[in-house]
């Protein structure tokens, strides 16, 4: 895994909070804490996108019977011409 350094400024209150979280033993260092926050944000964004897609599907109209032929056509559309 390649690592790159990122530098940013935090107000003192936020910096103190981060330091407190690290000192509590929940995280080994500041980088671990920030990586965990980013991972959680990525998960939240993926869940949000899934909820939006489900909502879009529910609002798209009346459902229809999916035969094997229709399922195969949908799969072809979803996978594109790469298969």
């Amino acid at each position: 895994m390649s690592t790159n350094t990122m530098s940013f400024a935090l107000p003192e209150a936020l910096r103190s909070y981060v330091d407190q979280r690290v000192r509590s033993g929940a995280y080994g260092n500041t980088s671990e804490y920030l990586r965990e926050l980013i991972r959680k944000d990525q998960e939240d964004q993926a869940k949000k996108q899934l909820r939006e897609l489900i909502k879009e599907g529910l609002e798209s109209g009346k459902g229809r019977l999916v035969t094997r032929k229709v399922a195969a056509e949908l799969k072809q559309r979803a996978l594109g011409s790469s298969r």
Side-chain angles (χ1 to χ4, degrees):
M1 173 177 81
S2 175
T3 58
N4 295 307
T5 301
M6 182 180 281
S7 180
F8 54 92
L10 290 175
E12 185 56 39
L14 290 179
R15 178 62 202 207
S16 294
Y17 181 79
V18 171
D19 289 343
Q20 177 188 13
R21 296 292 290 144
V22 172
R23 280 194 309 271
S24 73
Y27 301 93
N29 57 46
T30 301
S31 292
E32 285 181 16
Y33 178 63
L34 294 175
R35 284 191 293 269
E36 179 68 17
L37 289 176
I38 292 167
R39 284 187 202 102
K40 286 180 180 179
D41 183 57
Q42 287 175 323
E43 289 174 12
D44 290 347
Q45 292 303 309
K47 288 176 186 177
K48 179 182 175 187
Q49 182 181 16
L50 181 57
R51 283 191 301 272
E52 289 171 1
L53 290 171
I54 291 170
K55 181 181 176 195
E56 180 182 322
L58 291 171
E59 293 174 347
S60 69
K62 186 177 177 186
R64 63 180 172 144
L65 181 63
V66 177
T67 63
R68 288 180 191 224
K69 181 180 177 184
V70 171
E73 290 170 0
L74 291 171
K75 183 177 180 180
Q76 176 98 19
R77 278 181 45 199
L79 297 176
S81 61
S82 64
R83 286 196 165 201

